[in-house]
Amino acid sequence: STQSTWGRLLFETKMPKYSAEPANRLKSCKARGSDLRVHFKNTVEAGNAIRGWNLKKAQIYLEDVIGHKRIVPVKHFRNGVGRHAQAKEFNQAQGRWPEKACKLLLSLLKNAESNAEVKGLDVDNLFVSHIQVNQAPRGRRRTYRAHGRINAYMSSPAHIELILSEKEEIVKKAEEEGTTKSKSKLAKKVKVGGGVEAQ
């Protein structure tokens, strides 16, 4: 038991591994949660909805979903999901309002935002460059049925990881003043019948 405790402590002190790494570590920050008691399928759909979004835009959207003003489109785990008019915003028919998943994603975004502030990043320029939701080991409970039977009563927790990155500003190449004409334009045209015609 002592050996297993040491193994657990060593495992917990290791840096967590992410499934993706940002292109520029100095301009990115991370946040993650493990074995979170939130439905895996709902969290996948909510995470997919905000992937690639600006941080502030994603936070406003999740707050709107919690208030049932906007909806999370269901694109992958669609079986048995009702149709709602709000899903037209995403060109979908089916959608849900997973409040618990949205609250948890909001808290993770807030955590990543705090990490960005500590690193001195521009919070207004951050976007969700990576978000991934994985299945965690299922929690096992039991429920009692008629005639003395017992059925499994499982939970479907999730691991969530996300990376916020600063958008790189695309700077256009400055045109030099008084640029000379290209060689092709300066080239002389040769007549078909012979002789040279100056341009």
Side-chain angles (χ1 to χ4, degrees), residues 73-180:
V74 175
K75 298 179 181 179
H76 190 75
F77 301 106
R78 300 172 64 166
N79 190 29
V81 179
R83 295 171 293 179
H84 301 283
Q86 284 184 0
K88 290 178 184 176
E89 179 188 350
F90 303 94
N91 295 322
Q92 297 290 321
Q94 294 168 293
R96 276 184 171 162
W97 299 273
E99 291 183 26
K100 194 172 178 182
C102 289
K103 284 176 183 174
L104 208 138
L105 285 172
L106 265 175
S107 67
L108 272 177
L109 287 174
K110 190 174 182 183
N111 180 245
E113 186 181 0
S114 299
N115 295 342
E117 287 172 355
V118 169
K119 286 183 83 171
L121 303 179
D122 181 11
V123 176
D124 296 325
N125 202 24
L126 292 173
F127 74 103
V128 183
S129 60
H130 167 75
I131 183 165
Q132 183 171 303
V133 182
N134 296 324
Q135 279 182 301
R138 301 190 73 183
R140 180 175 287 277
R141 288 184 293 168
R142 56 167 60 177
T143 185
Y144 300 92
R145 311 307 296 269
H147 312 296
R149 290 174 297 135
I150 292 173
N151 281 4
Y153 207 70
M154 314 280 273
S155 64
S156 301
H159 305 309
I160 308 172
E161 61 181 53
L162 60 89
I163 298 173
L164 301 180
S165 302
E166 269 191 12
K167 281 194 176 177
E168 293 180 3
E169 293 180 6
I170 300 168
V171 181
K172 290 185 179 179
K173 195 173 182 180
E175 293 182 6
E176 293 176 8
E177 290 183 10
T179 52
T180 56

Side-chain angles (χ1 to χ4, degrees), residues 29-80:
C29 57
K30 302 175 181 178
R32 66 178 290 149
S34 299
D35 297 297
L36 303 170
R37 281 299 297 271
V38 63
H39 286 298
F40 163 71
K41 292 182 181 181
N42 288 343
T43 314
V44 166
E45 301 293 355
N48 288 344
I50 63 168
R51 184 178 287 112
W53 284 23
N54 177 273
L55 172 63
K56 298 298 180 187
K57 183 184 172 185
Q59 287 173 329
I60 292 166
Y61 168 71
L62 292 173
E63 285 167 3
D64 286 346
V65 171
I66 292 166
H68 288 232
K69 295 174 186 175
R70 293 169 81 184
I71 202 167
V72 171
V74 175
K75 298 179 181 179
H76 190 75
F77 301 106
R78 300 172 64 166
N79 190 29

